[in-house]
Amino acid sequence: AQSVTQLGSHVSVSEGALVLLRCNYSSSVPPYLFWYVQYPNQGLQLLLKYTSAATLVKGINGFEAEFKKSETSFHLTKPSAHMSDAAEYFCAVSRSGSARQLTFGSGTQLTVLP
Amino acid sequence: EAQVTQNPRYLITVTGKKLTVTCSQNMNHEYMSWYRQDPGLGLRQIYYSMNVEVTDKGDVPEGYKVSRKEKRNFPLILESPSPNQTSLYFCASSFATGWEQYFGPGTRLTVT
């Protein structure tokens, strides 16, 4: 069964610093991978997705993620944090089968310090 | 505007009092799903529907019911709510051929 591990339930960075949010997955077949962002009192919004094309995926708001099969990782990065990036971030992996099901990680709360 | 709407956004109820949380999407999506979000656990799927009249259990279906009589609507029913169903609930939808799910704003449910 697929699983997702997000290392660090809380991450703090200074404004302008690099953002690195870690995601590792386990899957018996090459999966599709996703990063979602949740702003306070809102639903989840798709940041970016990997669907077996380019391994470096660019998303919205300057975020990108790299799929590394050998490390079973899909870490999310942004070169320079902005105050508006403060939110909770979820990594998700597709499940095998045709039911379009996702398995979500437990989330990482990103705090951006002035 | 393309969106998923949920009602109510906030609900406080008592144990055993039946309730329904509505979900509606205007994007003609075939796939709809309900999740619950609890601290430290991420999102867990309750039920999903691949199309009208086609529903199936997710990971945590106990205590919940769903129906899909129309393509745009996917209500979540708690026939006898209990305190362990206190949670933040999200409805999501997508095209059957795609993986990008669109989420509603959430419904915060408290069962006392």
Side-chain angles (χ1 to χ4, degrees), chain A residues 86-104:
Chain A
E88 189 156 23
Y89 293 80
F90 292 93
C91 182
V93 62
S94 62
R95 302 187 197 182
S96 57
S98 61
R100 290 289 185 267
Q101 290 177 286
L102 299 176
T103 297
F104 284 85

Side-chain angles (χ1 to χ4, degrees), chain B residues 1-40:
Chain B
E1 179 189 356
Q3 59 183 348
V4 179
T5 58
Q6 295 179 227
N7 283 292
R9 293 289 311 278
Y10 302 90
L11 180 59
I12 301 174
T13 189
V14 296
T15 298
K17 185 176 181 180
K18 181 179 179 179
L19 65 92
T20 299
V21 183
T22 64
C23 172
S24 183
Q25 50 91 7
N26 62 1
M27 295 169 278
N28 202 34
H29 286 165
E30 295 87 5
Y31 183 93
M32 297 186 75
S33 180
W34 277 102
Y35 297 89
R36 60 178 289 172
Q37 182 182 9
D38 301 291

Side-chain angles (χ1 to χ4, degrees), chain A residues 18 35 49 65 68 85 92 102 106 109-110 113:
Chain A
L18 171 71
W35 276 100
K49 60 184 178 184
K68 292 187 176 180
D85 295 326
L102 299 176
S106 56
Q109 182 68 48
L110 176 66
L113 305 170

Side-chain angles (χ1 to χ4, degrees), chain B residues 16-85:
Chain B
K17 185 176 181 180
K18 181 179 179 179
L19 65 92
T20 299
V21 183
T22 64
C23 172
S24 183
Q25 50 91 7
N26 62 1
M27 295 169 278
N28 202 34
H29 286 165
E30 295 87 5
Y31 183 93
M32 297 186 75
S33 180
W34 277 102
Y35 297 89
R36 60 178 289 172
Q37 182 182 9
D38 301 291
L41 296 178
L43 276 76
R44 294 178 292 168
Q45 191 179 48
I46 302 170
Y47 270 93
Y48 65 94
S49 170
M50 297 295 288
N51 214 324
V52 176
E53 302 291 1
V54 180
T55 63
D56 209 344
K57 296 177 180 179
D59 303 313
V60 288
E62 294 77 18
Y64 304 94
K65 284 178 57 176
V66 294
S67 68
R68 186 94 182 271
K69 293 181 172 28
E70 302 169 285
K71 195 172 186 178
R72 63 185 294 128
N73 296 324
F74 191 45
L76 179 70
I77 303 158
L78 285 71
E79 297 216 321
S80 183
S82 62
N84 64 10
Q85 293 178 298

Side-chain angles (χ1 to χ4, degrees), chain A residues 42-108:
Chain A
Q42 295 186 27
L44 279 72
Q45 177 184 1
L46 183 68
L47 265 182
L48 49 81
K49 60 184 178 184
Y50 166 75
T51 55
S52 71
T55 56
L56 182 62
V57 181
K58 295 187 183 299
I60 61 172
N61 301 337
F63 284 93
E64 63 181 35
E66 186 172 7
F67 172 66
K68 292 187 176 180
K69 184 178 178 180
S70 61
E71 299 177 7
T72 61
S73 69
F74 190 57
H75 302 330
L76 181 71
T77 61
K78 182 174 180 177
S80 176
H82 192 272
M83 298 296 290
S84 61
D85 295 326
E88 189 156 23
Y89 293 80
F90 292 93
C91 182
V93 62
S94 62
R95 302 187 197 182
S96 57
S98 61
R100 290 289 185 267
Q101 290 177 286
L102 299 176
T103 297
F104 284 85
S106 56
T108 298

